[in-house]
Amino acid sequence: MINAIFEKVYKGSFKGFKKDIYNDIKNNNKRFIVTANPETFMIAKKDNDFLRLLLDKQTTIVADGIGIVKSGRKLGYNIEERIPGIDISLNLLKICNELKKDLYVFGSTEKVINLLRNVLNESYPHINLVGVSSGYVEDKDKVFKEIINLEPDIILVALGIPHQEKIIYRYLNKFHKGVFIGVGGSIDVLSGCKKRAPKLLIKLNLEWLYRIIKEPKRIKRFYQNNIKFMFSIKKEKEFEND
């Protein structure tokens, strides 16, 4: 299972990926992006539906966490660099603004959505925000059916992993175009609700540590996913060497 996912992880540079995304949006292509960290792999081990969407040929997986890059290399997959989900999201907003394309944002709280709306108005005035919806609505499928009718060029979904990926995948074939990405907690940074880690920590690939310091409750989640993921990689490596 682990190797099958690593086979699908994007191996190139962020520069090349940004070019691919730009062309997709400009040419009205469709792309479903999943930003992978150790938690992604650990969920896939227990959830066959999630694993199925990851392995689907329509899904593009990128290495959001440095743990994915290093673990992939240990298993013989030459992943060039980490491509953080927040950077992909920022790049999508930049492209959307430059090409004057349509955007839909689904997820998070009303407060965060309203803050993001202000950021878009001030920093990305040429984005056509065709709709927003809180992630706390009861009928999330109804929201996605409305998004289908709007046919936006970029769809940011912040419902948390794996819910955001699952709902995108459920309706993906109903769309003829659009770049879809589950942004999770990145929407808090995009909206200005939370600060991103200092540049030095980002450069040193210690953004995860900054988040734990700011939110100590993440320690349990970190153990359940990152530590267990490391043991899974170790076992996989030992199996290959037998």
Side-chain angles (χ1 to χ4, degrees):
M1 183 277 290
I2 287 177
N3 278 289
I5 298 175
F6 271 118
E7 287 281 355
K8 288 213 62 219
V9 173
Y10 179 81
K11 309 299 190 300
S13 67
F14 188 24
K15 182 179 179 181
F17 192 65
K18 286 190 285 188
K19 185 176 179 180
D20 291 342
I21 293 174
Y22 182 90
N23 289 332
D24 284 335
I25 297 171
K26 185 178 180 180
N27 298 317
N28 294 322
N29 296 330
K30 186 165 64 173
R31 185 186 291 265
F32 172 28
I33 303 168
V34 175
T35 58
N37 56 28
E39 185 175 12
T40 310
F41 282 73
M42 298 314 295
I43 292 173
K45 284 186 72 172
K46 299 177 289 184
D47 188 331
N48 286 331
D49 290 334
F50 187 58
L51 176 61
R52 190 177 302 112
L53 78 83
L54 289 178
L55 298 182
D56 193 296
K57 63 181 181 180
Q58 298 181 90
T59 306
T60 300
I61 305 173
V62 296
D64 182 20
I66 190 61
I68 302 301
V69 176
K70 291 183 175 180
S71 297
R73 289 174 181 171
K74 280 184 180 180
L75 296 177
Y77 299 98
N78 187 26
I79 302 170
E80 188 167 336
E81 63 179 320
R82 175 183 174 232
I83 303 179
I86 179 65
D87 289 334
I88 295 174
S89 298
L90 287 167
N91 185 246
L92 285 171
L93 295 182
K94 179 182 176 183
I95 297 170
C96 194
N97 187 64
E98 180 183 337
L99 299 178
K100 299 180 180 179
K101 293 288 189 173
D102 299 343
L103 170 70
Y104 195 103
V105 182
F106 177 29
S108 197
T109 64
E110 290 286 355
K111 176 187 174 183
V112 172
I113 288 289
N114 288 330
L115 286 171
L116 180 60
R117 194 197 297 269
N118 293 335
V119 170
L120 295 176
N121 288 336
E122 292 175 12
S123 302
Y124 305 93
H126 300 302
I127 287 179
N128 181 26
L129 186 62
V130 295
V132 297
S133 177
S134 161
Y136 290 88
V137 295
E138 188 173 335
D139 193 344
K140 294 178 175 61
D141 290 281
K142 182 181 178 182
V143 172
F144 240 84
K145 289 171 185 176
E146 291 171 354
I147 298 174
I148 293 170
N149 293 328
L150 291 169
E151 296 188 325
D153 301 288
I154 297 172
I155 302 90
L156 306 182
V157 184
L159 299 175
I161 187 173
H163 310 293
Q164 57 197 19
E165 287 79 16
K166 283 186 172 182
I167 197 166
I168 290 172
Y169 187 66
R170 187 152 67 243
Y171 291 100
L172 190 62
N173 288 329
K174 301 289 185 181
F175 290 85
H176 298 103
K177 66 169 185 174
V179 173
F180 302 77
I181 182 171
V183 295
S186 292
I187 197 168
D188 292 326
V189 178
L190 294 173
S191 66
C193 190
K194 290 183 180 179
K195 289 185 177 180
R196 194 177 179 186
K199 290 182 178 179
L200 178 60
L201 291 183
I202 295 172
K203 187 176 181 180
L204 294 174
N205 294 310
L206 292 174
E207 204 163 358
W208 59 271
L209 179 60
Y210 177 81
R211 288 197 292 267
I212 288 177
I213 292 171
K214 286 292 184 178
E215 300 176 66
K217 63 182 180 180
R218 284 180 173 267
I219 293 176
K220 182 179 179 181
R221 185 174 170 183
F222 180 83
Y223 171 76
Q224 289 177 336
N225 295 293
N226 295 59
I227 303 301
K228 290 182 179 180
F229 174 72
M230 288 168 60
F231 281 112
S232 294
I233 296 298
K234 184 179 179 182
K235 286 182 180 179
E236 195 73 34
K237 187 67 177 175
E238 289 173 350
F239 177 79
E240 288 183 355
N241 291 334
D242 284 345

